[in-house]
């Protein structure tokens, strides 16, 4: 059976079996998370089985803590697996058996440290085993994303399948495990494309069918460079810690290389699973667009009920995490503030700086905000003086406060947008924050407002 022929049975598989096969690095890269997600989506879309296989054959990767983080991040994203985790390191005997069979069949040979063939057919400590590359063949397959791909064996070397230290090489373990686990579709990152011909030759040598391959496009940053650990936040944990919701994260990751037929991009992952098709994945590099991720996250934050929001936000305002003295916290005022700011946040990590002025003894000193409102802005001193007078005896309600401040502004020829800026900075320390008149009416006492205005005025 030809290479394409070997794929056909899997292409038509009614119960696809897919796998996410990470090599443990101690963290879950966003690109790997996208790979996990696309496998999960394909399984959920087709009624197939999603297997988690940990490729830990490298000695330095075979450490439990490296895998624990990875599994925890997958769970956080909600990407539950049907089988596994299976650990490749536990299958060493099987891998060794296959290598021995290949030696027996003269499809592989022993080799020393100088890369010279050594006679003999038994796996031997201190000697590596190389696969004998067949001459003058073309290895061809159809990738579901990239289309027809072919490689000439002339361009491929006799590659190592067993290390001299008695462990299998990645490609050997990868091929044998896909075969033994009945994997029908290998959905994974484009960086692995060049290894396919070697894996296919190994599968032919052991008489196993070929999985269907789908190589997902690379993720790139705004400079169109491959995401890198040095330049970019690449770990799912980074995004969790920055206050992204898992449901926003998976929604966004689903759009990296795939788009729904109706162009409705924001939708729950369960709905995406009903629409997902590997055939619709495109091969152009996918831009990891932080602005878009923030936008999607903000949408999910807005859509939470207030109760859910408060539960999700709790870690960011806990006594340990919050920037204010714990004893200053006032749960009632906090709850009112949540009502005012939930719709303004892009991430949960934004929350403390929208509410901190309520619980800090003094508002933060943010030099940029001070400069903008108090130095560059028009007539800050006059605005504060006027506000101190009108706020001392206006009725303490949103509309009345707003009208009082607007009137001071009018008297000075300043529109409300600019007129409120020095007051906002005097009260909150920042130019950006909650709706200031509601906040004053609902959460700040008149005396606190007057004191903070006086304090700011004295600095001018
Ligand atoms: N273990 C490989 C990696 O983490 C992936 C192998 C595969 O998906 O086939 O790069």
């Amino acid at each position: 059976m030809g290479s394409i022929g070997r794929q056909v049975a899997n292409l038509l598989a009614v119960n696809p079996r897919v796998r996410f096969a990470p090599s443990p690095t101690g963290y879950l890269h966003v690109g790997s998370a996208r790979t996990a997600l696309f496998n999960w989506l394909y399984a959920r879309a087709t009624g197939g089985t999603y297997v988690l296989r940990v490729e830990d054959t490298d000695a330095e990767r075979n450490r439990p803590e490296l895998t624990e983080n990875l599994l925890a991040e997958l769970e956080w994203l909600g990407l539950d697996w049907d089988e596994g985790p299976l650990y490749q390191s536990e299958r060493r005997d099987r891998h060794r058996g296959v290598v021995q069979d290949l030696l027996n069949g003269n499809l592989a040979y022993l080799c020393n440290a100088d890369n010279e063939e050594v006679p003999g057919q038994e796996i031997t400590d201190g000697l590596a085993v190389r696969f004998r590359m067949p001459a003058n063949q073309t290895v061809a397959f159809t990738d579901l994303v990239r289309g027809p791909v072919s490689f000439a064996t002339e361009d491929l070397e006799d590659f190592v399948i067993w290390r001299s230290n008695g462990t299998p090489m990645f490609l050997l373990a990868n091929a044998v495990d896909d075969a033994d686990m009945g994997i029908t579709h290998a959905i994974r990152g484009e960086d692995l494309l060049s290894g396919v011909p070697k894996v296919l030759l190994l599968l032919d040598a052991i008489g196993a069918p070929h999985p269907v391959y789908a190589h997902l496009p690379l993720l790139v940053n705004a400079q169109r460079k491959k995401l890198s650990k040095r330049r970019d936040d690449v770990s799912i944990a980074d995004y969790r810690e920055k206050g992204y919701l898992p449901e926003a994260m998976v929604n966004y990751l689903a759009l990296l290389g795939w788009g729904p037929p109706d162009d409705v991009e924001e939708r729950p992952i369960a709905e995406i699973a009903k629409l997902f098709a590997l055939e619709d994945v495109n091969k152009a590099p996918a831009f990891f667009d932080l602005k878009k991720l923030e936008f999607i996250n903000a949408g999910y934050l807005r859509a939470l009920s207030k109760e859910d929001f408060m539960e999700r936000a709790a870690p960011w305002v806990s006594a340990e995490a919050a920037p204010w003295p714990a004893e200053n916290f006032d749960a009632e005022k906090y709850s009112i503030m949540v009502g005012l700011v939930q719709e303004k946040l892009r991430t949960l990590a934004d929350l403390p700086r929208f509410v901190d002025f309520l619980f800090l003894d003094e508002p933060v000193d943010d030099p940029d905000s001070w400069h903008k409102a108090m130095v560059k802005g028009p007539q800050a001193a006059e605005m504060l003086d006027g506000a101190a007078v009108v706020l001392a005896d206006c009725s303490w309600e949103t509309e009345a406060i707003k009208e009082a401040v607007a009137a001071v502004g009018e008297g000075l020829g300043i529109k409300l947008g600019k007129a409120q800026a020095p007051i906002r900075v005097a009260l909150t320390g920042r130019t950006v924050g909650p709706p200031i008149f509601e906040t004053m009416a609902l959460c700040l006492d008149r005396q606190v407002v007057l004191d903070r205005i006086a304090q700011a005025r004295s600095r001018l």
Side-chain angles (χ1 to χ4, degrees):
M1 194 162 31
S3 192
I4 304 286
R6 281 182 179 277
Q7 272 193 336
V8 169
N10 281 330
L11 208 45
L12 301 175
V14 268
N15 291 310
R17 289 176 58 82
V18 297
R19 84 295 194 278
F20 174 48
S23 306
T25 49
Y27 68 99
L28 181 61
H29 188 286
V30 286
S32 302
R34 194 268 312 256
T35 296
L37 172 63
F38 280 32
N39 277 283
W40 183 94
L41 284 169
Y42 189 66
R44 297 298 171 258
T46 56
T49 303
Y50 170 51
V51 183
L52 178 60
R53 180 173 83 221
V54 179
E55 301 210 322
D56 58 349
T57 49
D58 272 7
E60 75 253 30
R61 296 213 157 134
N62 186 359
R63 286 194 279 131
E65 68 276 16
L66 295 185
T67 304
E68 277 159 24
N69 290 339
L70 193 98
L71 302 189
E73 298 305 342
L74 287 173
E75 279 170 23
W76 180 72
L77 289 171
L79 302 180
D80 52 329
W81 49 92
D82 305 313
E83 285 177 24
L86 303 161
Y87 292 90
Q88 207 159 52
S89 57
E90 290 171 7
R91 295 175 39 80
R92 184 170 162 275
D93 288 349
R94 166 67 179 148
H95 299 143
R96 188 186 163 97
V98 170
V99 172
Q100 186 56 59
D101 287 348
L102 293 173
L103 280 172
N104 294 345
N106 199 29
L107 296 167
Y109 58 89
L110 296 167
C111 124
N112 65 20
D114 295 327
N115 283 337
E116 292 157 352
E117 185 166 347
V118 176
Q121 278 193 353
E122 283 298 313
I123 293 180
T124 309
D125 282 349
L127 293 182
V129 179
R130 280 181 187 269
F131 183 77
R132 215 181 274 293
M133 188 56 63
N136 301 321
Q137 279 191 21
T138 301
V139 185
F141 64 101
T142 300
D143 188 279
L144 282 191
V145 177
R146 310 199 57 89
V149 183
S150 69
F151 291 84
T153 53
E154 293 312 290
D155 299 330
L156 303 170
E157 78 289 0
D158 291 357
F159 58 101
V160 175
I161 54 176
W162 188 256
R163 296 190 187 89
S164 56
N165 69 1
T167 57
M169 278 300 268
F170 158 69
L171 290 176
L172 185 279
N174 188 262
V176 172
D177 289 359
D178 276 353
D180 289 357
M181 291 165 194
I183 298 303
T184 58
H185 294 70
I187 305 165
R188 55 188 201 169
E190 190 182 271
D191 51 319
L192 294 159
L193 184 68
S194 62
V196 175
K198 292 173 182 170
V199 168
L200 296 184
L201 291 167
L202 282 171
L203 290 171
D204 289 347
I206 62 178
H210 296 175
V212 178
Y213 285 94
H215 284 89
L216 308 176
L218 211 67
L219 303 189
V220 294
N221 65 15
Q223 290 75 44
R224 295 295 184 268
K225 294 224 169 81
K226 193 177 160 193
L227 288 191
S228 108
K229 221 165 139 182
R230 276 176 297 110
R231 288 188 299 258
D232 311 293
D233 281 333
V234 296
S235 157
I236 288 295
D238 292 333
Y239 293 92
R240 177 168 47 75
E241 284 158 17
K242 289 194 166 166
Y244 289 88
L245 298 175
E247 56 269 47
M249 203 70 210
V250 287
N251 186 160
Y252 179 64
L253 290 173
L255 305 174
L256 294 173
W258 177 83
D262 59 5
D263 289 336
V264 177
E265 294 194 314
E266 281 172 66
R267 58 189 350 147
I269 204 67
E271 238 177 73
I272 291 180
K274 293 194 188 119
L275 301 169
F276 184 81
L278 276 176
E279 291 72 12
D280 295 337
V281 174
N282 58 61
K283 61 184 173 194
F287 172 32
F288 191 86
D289 183 348
L290 278 172
K291 285 271 164 287
K292 185 164 172 179
L293 171 58
E294 274 181 3
F295 177 82
I296 289 181
N297 198 56
Y300 276 85
L301 284 174
R302 275 197 302 277
L304 292 175
S305 69
K306 186 170 172 191
E307 206 184 349
D308 274 354
F309 178 89
M310 304 242 311
E311 205 178 306
R312 306 285 198 105
W316 276 268
V317 293
S318 69
E320 305 79 57
W324 49 77
E327 66 274 16
N328 287 4
F329 186 72
D330 178 329
E332 205 179 315
K333 282 186 180 170
Y334 169 67
S335 165
I336 295 171
M337 276 314 282
V338 166
L340 298 179
V341 303
Q342 180 178 347
E343 62 176 38
K344 294 180 170 284
L345 304 179
R346 288 163 308 166
T347 69
L348 289 170
D350 285 345
L351 179 60
R353 50 189 183 80
F354 274 77
V355 304
D356 60 359
F357 62 93
L358 284 181
F359 313 123
L360 289 168
D361 295 326
E362 285 175 15
V364 290
D365 183 8
D366 176 45
D368 284 348
S369 294
W370 185 268
H371 186 79
K372 212 162 150 194
M374 305 294 197
V375 182
K376 256 180 56 201
Q379 306 177 70
E382 289 79 356
M383 249 339 284
L384 292 178
D385 287 341
V389 174
V390 295
L391 294 176
D393 57 21
C394 74
S395 148
W396 207 245
E397 295 156 347
T398 306
E399 272 313 303
I401 294 173
K402 180 174 165 188
E403 275 165 26
V405 172
V408 177
E410 264 164 44
L412 297 167
I414 312 171
K415 292 222 170 69
L416 185 61
K418 288 221 151 106
Q420 55 89 42
I423 297 159
R424 176 188 287 281
V425 171
L427 300 179
T428 70
R430 297 188 180 88
T431 46
V432 176
I436 197 65
F437 304 118
E438 276 99 329
T439 300
M440 286 158 78
L442 300 175
C443 292
L444 289 169
D445 293 336
R446 191 193 300 267
Q447 197 51 53
V448 172
V449 169
L450 296 176
D451 289 349
R452 287 191 177 185
I453 288 176
Q455 174 67 24
R457 178 67 181 89
S458 72
R459 276 181 67 189
L460 283 178

